[in-house]
Amino acid sequence: MASSFSRFSQTLLLLVVFWGITSSSNAQLSTDYYSKSCPNLFSTVKFTVHSAIMKEARMGASLLRLFFHDCFVNGCDGSLLLDDTSSFTGEKNAVPNRNSARGFDVIDDIKSAVENVCPGVVSCADILAIAARDSVKILGGPNWDVKLGRRDARSASQAAANNGIPAPTSNLNRLISRFNALGLSTRDLVALSGAHTIGQARCTSFRAHIYNESNIDLSFAKTKQSNCPRSSGSGDNNLSPLDIQTPTYFDNKYFNNLIGKRGVLHSDQELFNGGSTDSIVRAYSKNPSSFSSDFVTAMIKMGDISPLTGSKGEIRKNCRRVN
């Protein structure tokens, strides 16, 4: 009798473990998550993203950056999109995002369009992921199948945003450490930094690099100084392309710039400054297909950071506030 009960207990335990594994796997992200519930999702998102980029090419980089800044703060959960409320201070006014993160109105437009074709189905977190992919593709970069199934957070954290997003003043060790903490390798770091082949930076984020540092081409520094005064408070919001060669086209020119000591941000030039990432930068500068492949791999990995799935979180009706 005892033996039979023991065998029954073991069988029950195995069933529980198996159920747990399958339940966990069912909650994972997949590329066909909305194939039945929202079959027109991709075309709907792409139309709005394309329209926004045609109006302003910089918007593609801004949408890509929103996804990065969302995923690096408690995972890819759409928390960045929440406006401040009386109960919590959100991430939009954190140091890395204040007067810097942009494109929220485009995300609103995408969400509105998606709600029209499949109301209450698609999360804002997933919309960020698709918009980032579409932005890269539209600006000449690689394409990939986006993994979906994320749900939206019901809260946000300004403190987590201040601590979680690497600053443009970060040194290489800090960059590697932060990326590694999120399951991203050093190669992922360099590949994802290649997103700076598009977009622009504010004077406040690169002033110290062009005036106070030596690992920068002198003529390049002087050119940047002409549009970014030394004194703080003067021209703080003046912009510079992050890639001086092809600022609105997604390619590997960013890495050529680093080799020529023409990285706009301190954190950019840290990737090619006699350290462990020099060889990766050189490789990407010579082989654009290698960069594209690694960028896709890194973007998919980044999109896997701590998503809310299953019954966690919610599907927001409005990306700026919880339901």
Side-chain angles (χ1 to χ4, degrees), residues 219-291:
S219 62
F220 174 73
K222 289 180 179 178
T223 299
K224 293 296 141 189
Q225 290 168 8
S226 66
N227 193 44
C228 181
R230 183 188 291 270
S231 300
S232 178
S234 176
D236 286 357
N237 292 320
N238 290 354
L239 298 172
S240 168
L242 287 163
D243 175 357
I244 60 173
Q245 298 188 66
T246 53
T248 60
Y249 189 77
F250 197 98
D251 54 24
N252 68 329
K253 295 294 192 297
Y254 164 82
F255 299 105
N256 296 329
N257 295 333
L258 298 187
I259 292 174
K261 294 189 176 182
R262 294 187 297 272
V264 174
L265 304 178
H266 171 86
S267 55
D268 286 332
Q269 198 57 58
E270 278 289 286
L271 300 179
F272 192 83
N273 193 33
S276 60
T277 52
D278 283 15
S279 59
I280 305 175
V281 170
R282 282 198 188 93
Y284 288 161
S285 73
K286 297 174 182 177
N287 191 336
S289 62
S290 174
F291 162 55

Side-chain angles (χ1 to χ4, degrees), residues 30-31 45 74 100 153 187 192 216 254 262 280 311:
S30 65
T31 57
V45 175
N74 297 326
S100 178
R187 180 170 291 273
L192 289 171
I216 185 170
Y254 164 82
R262 294 187 297 272
I280 305 175
S311 60

Side-chain angles (χ1 to χ4, degrees), residues 157-212:
S157 172
Q158 186 175 108
N162 283 328
N163 295 325
I165 300 171
T169 55
S170 300
N171 62 29
L172 183 58
N173 287 338
R174 166 62 179 161
L175 292 170
I176 292 173
S177 174
R178 182 59 191 140
F179 275 68
N180 286 353
L182 295 173
L184 298 169
S185 68
T186 301
R187 180 170 291 273
D188 295 328
L189 157 65
V190 181
L192 289 171
S193 297
H196 287 177
T197 184
I198 53 176
Q200 302 191 48
R202 295 186 302 144
C203 172
T204 52
S205 64
F206 61 86
R207 176 181 280 128
H209 180 52
I210 63 174
Y211 282 104
N212 304 331

Side-chain angles (χ1 to χ4, degrees), residues 100-159:
S100 178
R102 57 195 301 275
F104 297 108
D105 54 338
V106 176
I107 297 299
D108 291 340
D109 291 342
I110 298 171
K111 178 62 173 175
S112 178
V114 170
E115 285 294 301
N116 284 336
V117 297
C118 43
V121 173
V122 182
S123 68
C124 299
D126 278 346
I127 284 174
L128 277 179
I130 301 168
R133 186 276 308 273
D134 287 351
S135 295
V136 171
K137 177 63 177 175
I138 290 168
L139 292 175
N143 189 28
W144 65 93
D145 293 329
V146 182
K147 293 168 67 175
L148 302 167
R150 303 169 190 83
R151 289 167 65 84
D152 297 320
R154 294 190 176 97
S155 64
S157 172
Q158 186 175 108

Side-chain angles (χ1 to χ4, degrees), residues 283-303:
Y284 288 161
S285 73
K286 297 174 182 177
N287 191 336
S289 62
S290 174
F291 162 55
S292 292
S293 176
D294 286 354
F295 180 80
V296 166
T297 297
M299 283 294 291
I300 294 172
K301 286 176 67 175
M302 186 174 74

